[in-house]
Amino acid sequence: WAKFLLLKHIGAFLLVRCLFCGPIAFSQTRQIDSLKKALEYPNADKLSILFELCARSPSMSQDTAFFYAREAKQISRQNHAFEKEVTADFYIASCYGLKGRSDSSLILSNDAIKKLPDTDKFFPLYRDLMWNKIVSLTKLRKIKESINACYTLLSMAEKKGDVQGQVIAYNCL
């Protein structure tokens, strides 16, 4: 009798979960499809759309996300948009990390951090790149370097009053 009640509760839980979580997954796909269609319009701001797609990269294949990030980098380079080019580097490094290529992610993140002339001015981008760097170092088992990078990010985030950066640093420690 207890097994029957347990199965009944599990079934009810799964039904509720599918009802409430299914629309969320579907709506994300619908948003991605809408952004993909928007890329086809001749007057569309392709770079902004590509970055919107990159931000939704966990909901698509990594090859597709990588393609959008590379396209964003190419357009940024053509437009001489420095910050956007480094943002594209962040998304490319993220794709490398998710594909299991932590060494490439680390190299690209380090290069992008070095490109930033003023980490105060570009702090949100610096924070994201540092997060990529910390995750890559951890995956590569470079724990001491990872901890040092966490403390570097933490001190800068505290100085800037950036709560998100502090949370990232504390969570990675």
Side-chain angles (χ1 to χ4, degrees):
W1 179 253
K3 288 181 181 179
F4 174 74
L5 284 176
L6 180 64
L7 288 174
K8 186 177 176 182
H9 288 295
I10 290 173
F13 170 76
L14 291 174
L15 178 66
V16 169
R17 184 173 173 137
C18 288
L19 287 175
F20 289 108
C21 295
I24 293 170
F26 182 71
S27 65
Q28 183 71 1
T29 303
R30 200 173 330 140
Q31 291 172 348
I32 290 171
D33 290 342
S34 174
L35 289 167
K36 286 179 182 179
K37 286 180 185 173
L39 278 174
E40 297 172 8
Y41 299 135
N43 296 333
D45 181 5
K46 292 189 189 301
L47 190 56
S48 295
I49 296 168
L50 288 168
F51 282 135
E52 284 293 321
L53 284 164
C54 288
R56 289 170 173 75
S57 65
S59 299
M60 62 181 80
S61 77
Q62 290 309 306
D63 290 334
T64 303
F66 186 73
F67 171 78
Y68 291 135
R70 295 282 302 181
E71 190 73 21
K73 180 167 178 142
Q74 184 179 11
I75 293 172
S76 299
R77 198 175 270 165
Q78 289 170 352
N79 294 345
H80 304 289
F82 167 76
E83 185 176 2
K84 298 204 185 273
E85 185 177 342
V86 178
T87 301
D89 284 339
F90 162 73
Y91 285 118
I92 292 169
S94 296
C95 289
Y96 279 142
L98 292 172
K99 285 178 148 191
R101 295 179 55 192
S102 298
D103 52 344
S104 299
S105 179
L106 178 61
I107 290 168
L108 191 55
S109 294
N110 278 333
D111 289 346
I113 289 169
K114 288 176 187 172
K115 287 181 193 174
L116 294 175
D118 183 4
T119 54
D120 288 335
K121 181 178 176 184
F122 300 105
F123 188 77
L125 184 52
Y126 172 79
R127 175 192 61 221
D128 293 342
L129 288 164
M130 283 296 289
W131 175 53
N132 257 356
K133 177 179 179 172
I134 292 165
V135 170
S136 297
L137 286 168
T138 304
K139 286 180 179 180
L140 292 169
R141 309 259 191 265
K142 297 181 178 184
I143 305 303
K144 286 183 183 179
E145 291 177 51
S146 177
I147 291 171
N148 289 337
C150 287
Y151 281 117
T152 300
L153 176 59
L154 180 61
S155 69
M156 295 219 30
E158 286 175 343
K159 186 170 64 172
K160 297 285 293 173
D162 184 70
V163 176
Q164 187 176 356
Q166 292 174 35
V167 169
I168 289 169
Y170 279 123
N171 281 339
C172 291
L173 284 172

